Amino acid sequence: MPALEPGKLRNVAVIGHRGTGKTSLVEALLYQAEELNRLGTIDAGTTVGDWDDDEQRRKLSISLALAHADWQGRKLNLIDVPGDPSFQGEMRCALRVVEGALFVISGVMGVEVGTTRGWKRAEELGLSRVLFVNMLDRERADFFRALGQLQEQLSERCVAVHLPIGSEHELTGIVDVLHMCAYASPGGEREGEPGPIPEEMTALAQEYREKLLDEVVQTDEALMERYLDGQELGVEEVAHALKDAVTRGVVFPVACGVATQNLGTHALLDLIVEGVPSPAKMGSITHIEGAETAAFVFKTIADPFAGRINLFRVLQGSVRPEQTLVDARTHAKERMGALLFQQGKEHIPAEEFGPGDIGAVAKLKEVQTGDLLLDKEVATDVPEIGFPEPVMSFAITPTIKGEEEKVATAIRRLAEEDPTLRLHRDAQTGEEILAGMSQMHVEVALERAKRRFGIDVELHPPRVPYLETIRSESRAHARYKKQTGGRGQFGDCTIVLEPIEGNVGYEFVDKIVGGVIPQGFRPAVDKGIQEAMSQGELAGAPVQGVRVLLVDGSYHNVDSSEMAFKIAGSMAFKEAYAKAQPVLLEPIMELEVTVPDEAVGAVNGDLNSRRGRLHGMEPAGGMTTIKAEVPMSEVLTYAQTLTSITGGRGDYAMHFVRYEEVPAHVAQKVITDTQKARETAATH
Ligand SMILES: Nc1nc2c(ncn2[C@@H]2O[C@H](COP(=O)(O)OP(=O)(O)O)[C@@H](O)[C@H]2O)c(=O)[nH]1
Ligand SMILES: [Mg+2]
């Protein structure tokens, strides 16, 4: 199949909270569009999405999955995005390369954190948005309650285009108030063509059609005038105005149905094809000046069967097999291998991907998530995916001693595929730190690493990178002297310590007059002091925020050496440090917690008990964002805490702000603990 013109494409990411039925809905859309012969289910593990072992075992999407369908002569690229906050990186990748987002909401649960999080991102990117209230067959499902929440919590401009006929187990179909027709529930079969609206629904359908018109005419002046004039507006012209408003992202149509019964997919496919703009309308995400062909790699997947697969969006030009493209990050030339359409785990060979299209390519060597591929090197910015910062850190140690290097290599490989995983060695504590979005995120990654690379590691909470500093001035003199036959050792210095404002940095000031210590030996004193500072006497943490004045000293013509002055410097520092009121500093984190209003009291109370300082609360339609500063040592396992307080309905982000002095009663415990740890280490 040759490349399609961009006007024939619709790129849509399917977004929503975990368990709202996104993967099931994608399955139903593919089935309705006759891409599949039968409707698979999550429970039997037979869907196109969630084909991976981990996903089937956990009954949870972990990676984004690409699928495509043809509807009304348009090609829909659907990206099923995991809803769990652990895999937020996937959502960022997907939203970056689409024009439209399809939000799936549970008719039972209504708006959840995952909905709000995705909405914010789609809003930042200015995407067209269509919503689908799913699971209307379930007990306690209520379309109208969910609609109210959408209007209150996401946007007043969420407007119903479909209505349920009946409710819960008596749901029998849906009404399309845009085209004024109805669909009977197909009970898991393909939906047929629509019929007339049943008698008992006509009044409600009329009421909601008017609400829809009220919304739509506001976006179109000519239409508004005629509407106010009392003229009848035709189905086609309203549909046209709605399409325009959805494209511009000023009206958000709300559809509904039951994914597992394939109810609502016909009308939803129509809505997507008509409402979501094509890449031709929106232009590409970025235009790369000077290049003919440009493709943006938004996801690298390690496929157990096909090896490394890169998913890309063509920004301009066409991508063909055997073509050689340059990676703007590595400057390496990469020959395109086999091009593929991806339908879950199925790969279908493709001839070409044209501008705006989304495709897959196998076996590129160095290319990774976030890379830009060009037909020739041009100076350009690479589009940013905008990954969130990891919030949970673990110290990792290989189960088998000596495998440190193997583990690091394997994890680095995973981080190339998923940049919300980060590995670094903490210079201070010496630990290998693996950071991710949650405990589950890190655990899933490590399970994969175990299978793919045969590595096995243990996770521990990381040690807090404390620092030490001084609160007052002090002075000390030290002399290092040895006379053991032959040549002796002699170093002698007097130093003054002063706190530096803000507890940061280190300064060494040479105040020697008259050469009481020769020029050549003074840097050795500095060196000795810095060595002593790398492990403070309080808790073995590095010392910061100290200015050292070298004020006096003496030397010996024969016995003095750099070594002797280094030792003298170190001795003088240790003595002066003990007299300068040393204190412990701890990292303070800025925490932003988003929770349902009713959990605010409990969350605040918990933060208080963790020495947190609240400095902001922003309620927004049922959810409140709490801002607080909390010591890192108190939030090492905050994810678990928040989950248990909010029953999984909370979300948080965290980043380092500054170091602060540890209050005396807490410091004492840290100091005793580290001393104990050092003693145990010494006896082993
Ligand atoms: N009753 C009912 N169950 C549904 C519906 N949609 C999905 N489910 C079930 O809800 C669970 C979660 O669905 P899934 O598609 O994995 O949700 P996702 O996490 O959003 O991808 C599965 O057990 C589905 O079978 C629906 O419309 N009605
Ligand atoms: Mg899913």
Side-chain angles (χ1 to χ4, degrees):
M1 190 168 67
L4 290 165
E5 30 171 305
K8 294 226 150 91
L9 297 167
R10 300 291 182 274
N11 296 319
V12 178
V14 184
I15 302 286
H17 197 79
R18 158 187 70 213
T20 50
K22 297 177 295 298
T23 303
S24 306
L25 182 61
V26 168
E27 180 79 9
L29 293 171
L30 297 181
Y31 173 70
Q32 180 62 28
E34 301 187 23
E35 295 290 337
L36 307 175
N37 293 324
R38 65 184 177 104
L39 189 63
T41 67
I42 296 287
D43 306 281
T46 50
T47 50
V48 168
D50 289 5
W51 49 269
D52 175 276
D53 287 345
D54 283 334
E55 295 183 319
Q56 296 197 348
R57 199 156 23 79
R58 293 174 184 261
K59 300 211 183 302
L60 174 86
S61 310
I62 291 171
S63 301
L64 59 79
L66 177 61
H68 62 89
D70 288 305
W71 189 256
Q72 291 184 21
R74 303 290 183 274
K75 179 188 176 207
L76 270 62
N77 288 314
L78 296 169
I79 310 178
D80 177 14
V81 181
D84 194 279
S86 303
F87 312 109
Q88 268 178 71
E90 304 286 304
M91 173 189 84
R92 299 289 180 120
C93 293
L95 285 180
R96 196 65 187 84
V97 293
V98 294
E99 283 75 28
L102 168 60
F103 284 84
V104 184
I105 293 107
S106 152
V108 182
M109 303 300 291
V111 174
E112 297 174 86
V113 212
T115 332
T116 325
R117 187 190 313 111
W119 189 266
K120 271 194 199 145
R121 186 64 187 155
E123 197 162 44
E124 281 164 12
L125 294 166
L127 302 179
S128 296
R129 277 154 272 171
V130 172
L131 302 95
F132 185 81
V133 178
N134 189 32
M135 299 189 165
L136 290 178
D137 60 324
R138 285 207 176 167
E139 243 175 76
R140 288 191 300 280
D142 185 340
F143 174 75
F144 298 97
R145 183 186 58 214
L147 180 65
Q149 286 184 6
L150 294 171
Q151 289 165 341
E152 191 186 325
Q153 299 183 32
L154 302 185
S155 164
E156 287 174 355
R157 322 219 61 187
C158 289
V159 53
V161 291
H162 304 156
L163 302 175
I165 306 174
S167 62
E168 302 182 359
H169 59 278
E170 281 165 5
L171 185 81
T172 58
I174 62 161
V175 166
D176 176 343
V177 299
L178 178 60
H179 302 99
M180 288 308 265
C181 56
Y183 295 84
S185 178
E189 300 294 316
R190 278 206 185 93
E191 278 195 316
E193 290 307 307
I197 297 174
E199 243 339 285
E200 75 275 15
M201 285 295 291
T202 44
L204 197 65
Q206 201 51 48
E207 180 190 334
Y208 275 83
R209 179 164 176 82
E210 261 150 44
K211 290 187 188 196
L212 174 64
L213 289 179
D214 282 346
E215 231 20 270
V216 171
V217 294
Q218 286 189 40
T219 66
D220 185 324
E221 254 177 59
L223 216 55
M224 170 81 102
E225 266 174 37
R226 293 181 36 220
Y227 184 61
L228 293 180
D229 253 14
Q231 288 182 33
E232 189 71 26
L233 303 179
V235 166
E236 281 313 309
E237 60 183 336
V238 174
H240 196 270
L242 175 69
K243 172 182 168 167
D244 189 55
V246 176
T247 299
R248 287 189 286 129
V250 293
V251 169
F252 312 110
V254 181
C256 67
V258 179
T260 43
Q261 292 174 13
N262 192 37
L263 171 62
T265 52
H266 189 300
L268 181 59
L269 285 165
D270 287 347
L271 188 64
I272 291 171
V273 166
E274 287 165 15
V276 173
S278 77
K281 256 216 162 110
M282 296 290 279
S284 50
I285 48 178
T286 324
H287 183 79
I288 311 293
E289 217 51 63
E292 214 160 277
T293 303
F296 180 60
V297 175
F298 62 97
K299 181 72 198 166
T300 303
I301 298 173
D303 186 286
F305 312 107
R308 232 161 125 89
I309 299 265
N310 280 293
L311 303 185
F312 62 88
R313 164 163 171 150
V314 183
L315 303 182
Q316 61 210 54
S318 289
V319 173
R320 280 179 289 272
E322 306 307 319
Q323 191 179 17
T324 300
L325 295 177
V326 188
D327 186 320
R329 178 180 58 88
T330 60
H331 310 288
K333 286 194 170 151
E334 293 267 4
R335 196 180 167 80
M336 294 292 108
L339 295 187
L340 310 161
F341 290 111
Q342 233 190 359
Q343 197 77 303
K345 72 176 160 192
E346 302 247 359
H347 298 141
I348 304 140
E351 276 172 32
E352 185 178 7
F353 287 99
D357 208 350
I358 294 176
V361 56
K363 303 206 163 64
L364 298 184
K365 282 191 291 293
E366 303 291 338
V367 176
Q368 66 186 49
T369 302
D371 280 3
L372 180 66
L373 302 174
L374 302 167
D375 61 322
K376 59 169 170 288
E377 284 248 45
V378 292
T380 180
D381 290 335
V382 177
E384 294 263 348
I385 289 177
F387 285 107
E389 287 296 310
V391 292
M392 268 308 270
S393 294
F394 294 92
I396 56 168
T397 44
T399 328
I400 302 169
K401 268 220 157 68
E403 291 213 326
E404 284 77 5
E405 213 26 66
K406 192 174 165 196
V407 165
T409 310
I411 294 179
R412 253 179 250 124
R413 203 71 208 233
L414 293 177
E416 289 172 5
E417 292 160 20
D418 176 2
T420 58
L421 280 175
R422 292 206 197 137
L423 183 70
H424 75 277
R425 174 183 284 277
D426 189 304
Q428 208 157 311
T429 62
E431 292 177 317
E432 285 290 335
I433 303 291
L434 178 58
M437 302 308 300
S438 71
Q439 177 150 0
M440 182 178 13
H441 181 215
V442 169
E443 282 172 2
V444 165
L446 291 174
E447 272 169 35
R448 296 196 153 179
K450 189 172 183 175
R451 252 179 294 122
R452 271 168 66 190
F453 307 106
I455 59 152
D456 202 7
V457 302
E458 279 167 24
L459 295 178
H460 326 270
R463 291 220 292 272
V464 176
Y466 290 104
L467 292 176
E468 299 181 15
T469 194
I470 55 168
R471 283 287 173 253
S472 67
E473 275 189 36
S474 68
R475 186 186 177 95
H477 165 240
R479 173 172 293 175
Y480 178 64
K481 191 173 166 186
K482 258 197 181 149
Q483 249 125 19
T484 44
R487 196 181 150 202
Q489 292 286 355
F490 186 92
D492 174 295
C493 64
T494 300
I495 60 170
V496 170
L497 303 191
E498 292 174 3
I500 298 178
E501 180 106 28
N503 312 323
V504 289
Y506 163 70
E507 285 169 31
F508 179 78
V509 189
D510 181 351
K511 292 272 190 187
I512 295 294
V513 276
V516 290
I517 300 176
Q519 189 80 56
F521 291 140
R522 294 177 213 163
V525 176
D526 181 8
K527 222 173 181 178
I529 292 171
Q530 291 201 41
E531 246 166 52
M533 283 176 67
S534 71
Q535 278 209 323
E537 291 291 300
L538 273 186
V543 180
Q544 272 206 4
V546 177
R547 182 180 299 113
V548 179
L549 315 180
L550 176 58
V551 292
D552 201 3
S554 64
Y555 74 106
H556 187 280
N557 263 338
V558 181
D559 292 345
S560 278
S561 66
E562 278 186 28
M563 179 57 120
F565 272 100
K566 206 174 127 188
I567 295 173
S570 166
M571 287 163 60
F573 179 82
K574 284 181 183 164
E575 193 189 323
Y577 184 65
K579 294 193 286 189
Q581 278 185 277
V583 292
L584 206 57
L585 300 175
E586 63 183 343
I588 303 292
M589 310 302 281
E590 161 95 27
L591 195 60
E592 241 187 80
V593 194
T594 305
V595 295
D597 288 347
E598 57 275 18
V600 168
V603 170
N604 283 349
D606 173 73
L607 288 174
N608 270 326
S609 74
R610 292 172 191 271
R611 302 193 276 131
R613 281 183 305 245
L614 301 182
H615 60 78
M617 292 234 266
E618 286 165 26
M623 302 289 277
T624 298
T625 299
I626 301 164
K627 289 188 184 166
E629 286 183 0
V630 193
M632 183 199 249
S633 62
E634 302 281 346
V635 286
L636 289 175
T637 54
Y638 192 65
Q640 283 102 304
T641 310
L642 189 65
T643 305
S644 71
I645 300 179
T646 62
R649 292 186 302 149
D651 198 15
Y652 75 105
M654 176 156 83
H655 65 266
F656 167 78
V657 268
R658 66 174 165 280
Y659 273 90
E660 267 182 24
E661 187 173 334
V662 182
H665 66 285
V666 182
Q668 200 44 54
K669 184 165 184 317
V670 177
I671 293 166
T672 343
D673 286 354
T674 39
Q675 274 163 0
K676 263 193 224 142
R678 279 162 141 189
E679 278 158 26
T680 347
T683 56
H684 276 73

